[in-house]
Amino acid sequence: MSILITSITTIFFIVGIIGTFMPGIPGIGLVYAGVVVYAIADKFTSIEFSTVLVFGILTIFASLAQYLGSLWAAKYAGAKAKALTGTLIGSLIGTFGGPAGIFVGAFLGALVGALLENTTPHKAVRVAFLSVIGTISGTIIQLFLSIVLIISFLIAVFV
């Protein structure tokens, strides 16, 4: 494979791993883009189309993990519709606030939503705190799956 394609793929992988921690950068999406670029340039010789498809499904799952993790944790804490909506909106808005923005956004969104449901301040803080824990868990899942994609890609191409 040409040095150019290998370099582009490597850049996608590096920026993708960094992107798992940086809101606004589609971390695992960039890792997947690196796989797709390489596979197309290689005419699916080293990595089969079916493998690229499976990687795509994993990418979708991992992309949703960050948001779904915060929703699941908030629900576990007893959040109802307004708190769950607040968690989701806060997480999405928080992506524009830098690396910590998604966590702050999830916390504030869940807190405001829980308070609007007339829950006690103690329970509202618990819902908000667990939504952040869920967001962190989603980030860890995304990082883990990004690394799995890269390792699987390297095995498929070089072994």
Side-chain angles (χ1 to χ4, degrees), residues 46 151-159:
S46 299
I151 291 170
S152 299
F153 168 82
L154 293 173
I155 290 170
V157 171
F158 295 111
V159 174

Side-chain angles (χ1 to χ4, degrees), residues 33-159:
V35 170
V36 171
V37 165
Y38 190 93
I40 290 171
D42 189 47
K43 296 181 173 76
F44 298 95
T45 304
S46 299
I47 185 165
E48 295 178 7
F49 180 78
S50 60
T51 303
V52 173
L53 187 62
V54 169
F55 284 2
I57 293 167
L58 284 173
T59 298
I60 292 168
F61 171 73
S63 296
L64 294 174
Q66 199 164 32
Y67 299 108
L68 296 178
S70 63
L71 291 174
W72 177 81
K75 181 79 172 162
Y76 176 78
K80 297 198 179 5
K82 289 180 184 176
L84 294 174
T85 301
T87 300
L88 182 60
I89 291 170
S91 294
L92 291 173
I93 291 172
T95 60
F96 300 106
I102 195 167
F103 306 113
V104 172
F107 182 86
L108 292 176
L111 182 65
V112 169
L115 290 172
L116 288 174
E117 293 173 343
N118 296 322
T119 61
T120 65
H122 175 72
K123 183 176 180 181
V125 169
R126 182 174 187 269
V127 166
F129 177 73
L130 283 178
S131 73
V132 171
I133 297 299
T135 301
I136 292 168
S137 299
T139 300
I140 292 168
I141 289 169
Q142 195 175 83
L143 175 64
F144 175 75
L145 289 176
S146 293
I147 292 168
V148 166
L149 284 180
I150 292 169
I151 291 170
S152 299
F153 168 82
L154 293 173
I155 290 170
V157 171
F158 295 111
V159 174

